[in-house]
Short mmCIF file of all heavy atoms in Angstrom, two decimals:
data_model
loop_
_atom_site.label_atom_id
_atom_site.label_comp_id
_atom_site.label_asym_id
_atom_site.label_seq_id
_atom_site.Cartn_x
_atom_site.Cartn_y
_atom_site.Cartn_z
N PRO A 62 -10.18 6.43 6.35
CA PRO A 62 -9.79 7.33 5.27
C PRO A 62 -9.90 6.63 3.91
O PRO A 62 -9.92 5.40 3.83
CB PRO A 62 -8.33 7.67 5.60
CG PRO A 62 -7.85 6.52 6.41
CD PRO A 62 -9.05 6.00 7.15
N VAL A 63 -9.96 7.42 2.86
CA VAL A 63 -10.08 6.89 1.51
C VAL A 63 -8.72 6.95 0.83
O VAL A 63 -8.04 7.98 0.86
CB VAL A 63 -11.12 7.70 0.70
CG1 VAL A 63 -11.15 7.26 -0.75
CG2 VAL A 63 -12.50 7.55 1.34
N VAL A 64 -8.32 5.83 0.23
CA VAL A 64 -7.11 5.77 -0.58
C VAL A 64 -7.56 5.98 -2.03
O VAL A 64 -8.37 5.20 -2.54
CB VAL A 64 -6.38 4.42 -0.42
CG1 VAL A 64 -5.15 4.36 -1.32
CG2 VAL A 64 -6.02 4.18 1.03
N GLU A 65 -7.07 7.03 -2.66
CA GLU A 65 -7.50 7.35 -4.01
C GLU A 65 -7.07 6.26 -4.99
O GLU A 65 -6.04 5.61 -4.81
CB GLU A 65 -6.95 8.71 -4.43
CG GLU A 65 -7.52 9.84 -3.59
CD GLU A 65 -6.98 11.19 -3.98
OE1 GLU A 65 -6.31 11.31 -5.03
OE2 GLU A 65 -7.23 12.15 -3.23
N TRP A 66 -7.88 6.08 -6.04
CA TRP A 66 -7.60 5.02 -7.02
C TRP A 66 -6.28 5.22 -7.73
O TRP A 66 -5.66 4.25 -8.17
CB TRP A 66 -8.73 4.95 -8.06
CG TRP A 66 -10.01 4.45 -7.49
CD1 TRP A 66 -11.19 5.13 -7.44
CD2 TRP A 66 -10.26 3.18 -6.88
NE1 TRP A 66 -12.15 4.36 -6.83
CE2 TRP A 66 -11.62 3.15 -6.49
CE3 TRP A 66 -9.49 2.06 -6.62
CZ2 TRP A 66 -12.20 2.05 -5.87
CZ3 TRP A 66 -10.07 0.97 -6.00
CH2 TRP A 66 -11.41 0.97 -5.63
N ASP A 67 -5.80 6.45 -7.85
CA ASP A 67 -4.54 6.68 -8.57
C ASP A 67 -3.31 6.62 -7.66
O ASP A 67 -2.22 7.02 -8.05
CB ASP A 67 -4.58 8.01 -9.33
CG ASP A 67 -4.75 9.21 -8.42
OD1 ASP A 67 -4.94 9.04 -7.19
OD2 ASP A 67 -4.70 10.34 -8.93
N THR A 68 -3.45 6.07 -6.45
CA THR A 68 -2.31 5.89 -5.55
C THR A 68 -1.31 4.94 -6.18
O THR A 68 -1.68 3.90 -6.72
CB THR A 68 -2.79 5.34 -4.19
OG1 THR A 68 -3.70 6.28 -3.62
CG2 THR A 68 -1.63 5.10 -3.24
N ASP A 69 -0.04 5.30 -6.13
CA ASP A 69 1.02 4.46 -6.70
C ASP A 69 1.02 3.10 -6.01
O ASP A 69 1.15 3.02 -4.79
CB ASP A 69 2.37 5.14 -6.51
CG ASP A 69 3.50 4.48 -7.28
OD1 ASP A 69 3.49 3.23 -7.40
OD2 ASP A 69 4.40 5.20 -7.74
N PRO A 70 0.87 2.00 -6.76
CA PRO A 70 0.82 0.68 -6.13
C PRO A 70 2.14 0.25 -5.47
O PRO A 70 2.17 -0.71 -4.72
CB PRO A 70 0.46 -0.26 -7.29
CG PRO A 70 0.84 0.48 -8.51
CD PRO A 70 0.71 1.94 -8.19
N ARG A 71 3.21 0.98 -5.73
CA ARG A 71 4.50 0.67 -5.08
C ARG A 71 4.62 1.34 -3.72
O ARG A 71 5.62 1.17 -3.02
CB ARG A 71 5.65 1.12 -5.97
CG ARG A 71 5.67 0.44 -7.33
CD ARG A 71 6.68 1.07 -8.24
NE ARG A 71 6.28 2.46 -8.46
CZ ARG A 71 7.09 3.42 -8.89
NH1 ARG A 71 8.35 3.17 -9.14
NH2 ARG A 71 6.65 4.65 -9.07
N SER A 72 3.59 2.07 -3.31
CA SER A 72 3.61 2.78 -2.02
C SER A 72 3.68 1.79 -0.86
O SER A 72 3.23 0.65 -0.97
CB SER A 72 2.34 3.63 -1.87
OG SER A 72 2.27 4.60 -2.88
N CYS A 73 4.24 2.26 0.24
CA CYS A 73 4.28 1.47 1.48
C CYS A 73 3.00 1.78 2.25
O CYS A 73 2.69 2.93 2.52
CB CYS A 73 5.50 1.85 2.30
SG CYS A 73 5.60 0.98 3.88
N ILE A 74 2.25 0.73 2.58
CA ILE A 74 0.98 0.90 3.28
C ILE A 74 1.15 0.41 4.71
O ILE A 74 1.55 -0.73 4.94
CB ILE A 74 -0.13 0.14 2.56
CG1 ILE A 74 -0.30 0.73 1.15
CG2 ILE A 74 -1.43 0.20 3.34
CD1 ILE A 74 -1.26 0.01 0.28
N ILE A 75 0.85 1.26 5.68
CA ILE A 75 0.98 0.92 7.09
C ILE A 75 -0.13 -0.06 7.45
O ILE A 75 -1.31 0.19 7.21
CB ILE A 75 0.89 2.18 7.97
CG1 ILE A 75 1.87 3.26 7.51
CG2 ILE A 75 1.08 1.83 9.44
CD1 ILE A 75 3.32 2.84 7.47
N ALA A 76 0.23 -1.21 8.03
CA ALA A 76 -0.73 -2.28 8.30
C ALA A 76 -1.35 -2.22 9.70
O ALA A 76 -2.18 -3.04 10.02
CB ALA A 76 -0.06 -3.63 8.10
N ASP A 77 -1.00 -1.26 10.51
CA ASP A 77 -1.55 -1.15 11.85
C ASP A 77 -2.96 -0.54 11.78
O ASP A 77 -3.11 0.60 11.34
CB ASP A 77 -0.64 -0.27 12.70
CG ASP A 77 -1.20 0.03 14.08
OD1 ASP A 77 -2.15 -0.68 14.51
OD2 ASP A 77 -0.69 0.96 14.73
N PRO A 78 -4.01 -1.28 12.17
CA PRO A 78 -5.37 -0.74 12.09
C PRO A 78 -5.53 0.59 12.81
O PRO A 78 -6.30 1.44 12.38
CB PRO A 78 -6.24 -1.83 12.73
CG PRO A 78 -5.46 -3.08 12.58
CD PRO A 78 -4.02 -2.67 12.67
N GLY A 79 -4.80 0.81 13.88
CA GLY A 79 -4.90 2.06 14.62
C GLY A 79 -4.38 3.26 13.84
O GLY A 79 -4.69 4.40 14.17
N ALA A 80 -3.59 3.02 12.79
CA ALA A 80 -3.05 4.12 11.99
C ALA A 80 -4.06 4.66 10.99
O ALA A 80 -3.85 5.71 10.40
CB ALA A 80 -1.80 3.65 11.25
N TRP A 81 -5.16 3.94 10.80
CA TRP A 81 -6.16 4.32 9.80
C TRP A 81 -7.26 5.17 10.42
O TRP A 81 -8.44 4.86 10.33
CB TRP A 81 -6.71 3.07 9.11
CG TRP A 81 -5.66 2.46 8.25
CD1 TRP A 81 -4.67 1.62 8.64
CD2 TRP A 81 -5.48 2.68 6.87
NE1 TRP A 81 -3.88 1.30 7.58
CE2 TRP A 81 -4.36 1.94 6.47
CE3 TRP A 81 -6.15 3.44 5.91
CZ2 TRP A 81 -3.89 1.93 5.16
CZ3 TRP A 81 -5.68 3.43 4.61
CH2 TRP A 81 -4.58 2.69 4.25
N ASN A 82 -6.87 6.25 11.06
CA ASN A 82 -7.78 7.18 11.70
C ASN A 82 -8.64 7.87 10.64
O ASN A 82 -8.11 8.42 9.69
CB ASN A 82 -6.97 8.21 12.48
CG ASN A 82 -7.83 9.15 13.28
OD1 ASN A 82 -8.91 9.54 12.86
ND2 ASN A 82 -7.34 9.53 14.44
N PRO A 83 -9.96 7.86 10.80
CA PRO A 83 -10.82 8.46 9.78
C PRO A 83 -10.64 9.96 9.60
O PRO A 83 -10.98 10.51 8.56
CB PRO A 83 -12.24 8.15 10.26
CG PRO A 83 -12.11 7.83 11.70
CD PRO A 83 -10.73 7.30 11.90
N ASP A 84 -10.08 10.63 10.60
CA ASP A 84 -9.89 12.08 10.51
C ASP A 84 -8.49 12.46 10.04
O ASP A 84 -8.13 13.63 10.04
CB ASP A 84 -10.17 12.72 11.87
CG ASP A 84 -11.61 12.48 12.30
OD1 ASP A 84 -12.50 12.55 11.43
OD2 ASP A 84 -11.84 12.20 13.49
N SER A 85 -7.69 11.48 9.62
CA SER A 85 -6.34 11.72 9.14
C SER A 85 -6.20 11.19 7.72
O SER A 85 -6.99 10.35 7.30
CB SER A 85 -5.32 11.00 10.03
OG SER A 85 -5.40 11.46 11.35
N PRO A 86 -5.18 11.65 7.00
CA PRO A 86 -4.94 11.08 5.67
C PRO A 86 -4.60 9.60 5.80
O PRO A 86 -4.11 9.15 6.84
CB PRO A 86 -3.75 11.87 5.13
CG PRO A 86 -3.60 13.05 6.02
CD PRO A 86 -4.26 12.72 7.32
N ALA A 87 -4.84 8.85 4.76
CA ALA A 87 -4.49 7.43 4.76
C ALA A 87 -2.99 7.27 4.98
O ALA A 87 -2.20 8.01 4.40
CB ALA A 87 -4.90 6.80 3.43
N PRO A 88 -2.57 6.32 5.85
CA PRO A 88 -1.15 6.14 6.13
C PRO A 88 -0.45 5.37 5.01
O PRO A 88 -0.06 4.21 5.15
CB PRO A 88 -1.14 5.37 7.45
CG PRO A 88 -2.41 4.60 7.42
CD PRO A 88 -3.40 5.46 6.68
#
Side-chain angles (χ1 to χ4, degrees):
V63 174
V64 178
E65 295 180 10
W66 291 119
D67 62 355
T68 300
D69 190 325
R71 300 171 297 160
S72 299
C73 177
I74 298 174
I75 307 303
D77 174 16
W81 290 83
N82 185 324
D84 298 321
S85 299

